[in-house]
């Protein structure tokens, strides 16, 4: 992915995650679908956590290391 695409994807994941939380807060879940909603929220939470890890975790450190190695060449 080019850099711009990952930014857009991360924004959509974040917006979807917080939108799902808002829906749970302000609307009543239809009886019998609570398990599906919980699975969806867990999936959004996992994907959002992975996006945060990508931008601020080890991938960011790896990018910095690569830039430093390129400067040394």
């Amino acid at each position: 992915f080019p850099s711009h695409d990952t930014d857009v994807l991360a924004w959509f994941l974040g917006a979807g995650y917080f939108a799902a939380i808002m829906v749970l807060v302000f609307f009543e879940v239809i009886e019998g679908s609570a398990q599906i909603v919980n699975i969806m929220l867990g999936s959004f939470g996992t994907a959002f956590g992975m996006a945060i890890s990508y931008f601020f975790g080890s991938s960011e450190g790896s990018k910095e290391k690569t830039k430093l190695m390129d400067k040394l060449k």
Side-chain angles (χ1 to χ4, degrees), residues 25-46:
V25 169
F26 293 112
F27 296 100
E28 186 175 332
V29 177
I30 298 171
E31 190 175 325
S33 64
Q35 185 176 9
I36 294 170
V37 171
N38 286 333
I39 290 170
M40 180 189 71
L41 187 62
S43 297
F44 266 125
T46 301

Side-chain angles (χ1 to χ4, degrees), residues 58-72:
S58 64
S59 294
E60 184 65 29
S62 179
K63 283 192 282 187
E64 292 297 320
K65 181 183 71 174
T66 302
K67 288 178 186 177
L68 180 63
M69 289 174 63
D70 288 340
K71 287 181 183 179
L72 295 174

Side-chain angles (χ1 to χ4, degrees), residues 1-3 6-7 10 48-61 63:
F1 284 110
S3 173
T6 55
D7 294 343
F48 183 65
M50 291 174 70
I52 295 297
S53 294
Y54 174 78
F55 284 104
F56 300 108
S58 64
S59 294
E60 184 65 29
K63 283 192 282 187

